[in-house]
Amino acid sequence: EAGVTQFPSHSVIEKGQTVTLRCDPISGHDNLYWYRRVMGKEIKFLLHFVKESKQDESGMPNNRFLAERTGGTYSTLKVQPAELEDSGVYFCASSPGGTGRTGELFFGEGSRLTVL
Amino acid sequence: GNSVTQMEGPVTLSEEAFLTINCTYTATGYPSLFWYVQYPGEGLQLLLKATKADDKGSNKGFEATYRKETTSFHLEKGSVQVSDSAVYFCALTLSGGSYIPTFGRGTSLIVHP
């Protein structure tokens, strides 16, 4: 069974440009999460999808960030325009829905974003 | 709010040394506690968990006991190996809630031969 996959693994862009990160969760997982880790700091929650609906987006930093989950499958996180402080590693995770939830999340390898 | 505090790293040990990584938490309600590990070039994966006070989670020689009285969940291993070199994250979720984990900042472990 394929795990959570993220693309790209590393992106280097200039301030003011746009970047789109993609996450493919484990097939059948209703829950999809985005997190961000700035160098050496805690992994911060950004938002949570249940299928195609945003369940909780309280962690989104500002309106330069837009997340979508088309048809309840893969998800994209767009940063437009990017600022220097957006640099970090963006993690995507997924988990089963309903009674399959145990609190365990399954993570991708992360997308490292560097804004110059 | 909910938060997790971990000891700062990196922790550098020789092979076969004893490991302790401290983790304390603040939570409203009754959390479940987790340790995740991120090996180089990989995503985070669950290492162990405990869902109620006095429970002990264990896996791959690692252990952690849920201590409600000290709000702690310290990770221990009796004899580390070079292959244990990784970043370790302590996390909590609130039972019956949204199951969205709150993570600590991670502790890097470096084990030398």
Side-chain angles (χ1 to χ4, degrees), chain A residues 35 37 42 101 105 107-109, chain B residues 36 41 43-44 98-99 101 105:
Chain A
Y35 282 84
R37 187 183 190 216
E42 64 270 22
R101 299 183 80 181
L105 268 58
F107 280 81
E109 294 179 14
Chain B
Y36 282 81
L44 280 76
S98 62
Y99 287 96
R105 61 170 55 213

Side-chain angles (χ1 to χ4, degrees), chain A residues 10-113:
Chain A
H10 192 186
S11 180
V12 181
I13 61 173
E14 293 194 350
K15 175 181 173 181
Q17 289 186 320
T18 298
V19 64
T20 300
L21 310 177
R22 173 171 170 144
C23 169
D24 287 77
I26 292 173
S27 178
H29 279 190
D30 288 343
N31 295 284
L32 187 148
Y33 311 80
W34 283 98
Y35 282 84
R36 175 173 71 178
R37 187 183 190 216
V38 174
M39 177 68 74
K41 300 202 171 178
E42 64 270 22
I43 298 176
K44 287 266 197 187
F45 168 76
L46 296 178
L47 87 159
H48 169 216
F49 284 99
V50 177
K51 298 184 180 178
E52 68 276 8
S53 299
K54 292 177 186 175
Q55 190 76 9
D56 184 344
E57 51 184 331
S58 61
M60 294 287 265
N62 51 60
N63 59 10
R64 295 186 294 103
F65 288 74
L66 175 63
E68 296 179 322
R69 188 179 184 193
T70 306
T73 55
Y74 70 92
S75 174
T76 57
L77 180 65
K78 179 190 286 189
V79 185
Q80 179 183 29
E83 298 289 345
L84 298 179
E85 64 264 25
D86 301 332
S87 296
V89 180
Y90 289 77
F91 290 102
C92 176
S94 69
S95 69
T99 57
R101 299 183 80 181
T102 62
E104 177 181 4
L105 268 58
F106 298 83
F107 280 81
E109 294 179 14
S111 292
R112 180 177 297 277
L113 173 63

Side-chain angles (χ1 to χ4, degrees), chain B residues 8-110:
Chain B
E8 288 207 25
V11 174
T12 304
L13 296 173
S14 297
E15 208 165 22
E16 299 183 2
F18 184 85
L19 168 71
T20 299
I21 299 178
N22 291 337
C23 170
T24 57
Y25 67 88
T26 302
T28 53
Y30 302 97
S32 294
L33 302 172
F34 303 79
W35 277 101
Y36 282 81
V37 58
Q38 184 184 22
Y39 297 105
E42 299 183 14
L44 280 76
Q45 55 187 271
L46 182 66
L47 179 61
L48 55 83
K49 69 178 184 181
T51 58
K52 61 184 187 295
D54 300 325
D55 269 3
K56 178 185 285 187
S58 61
N59 186 24
K60 299 182 181 180
F62 290 88
E63 293 183 340
T65 301
Y66 187 161
R67 302 284 188 202
K68 186 178 176 184
E69 63 276 11
T70 54
T71 62
S72 64
F73 192 55
H74 304 322
L75 183 68
E76 296 182 336
K77 186 175 186 182
S79 176
V80 294
Q81 305 300 311
V82 172
S83 57
D84 293 327
S85 298
V87 182
Y88 292 81
F89 293 90
C90 187
L92 68 84
T93 65
L94 288 180
S95 302
S98 62
Y99 287 96
I100 297 175
T102 298
F103 286 90
R105 61 170 55 213
T107 302
S108 176
L109 170 66
I110 302 169

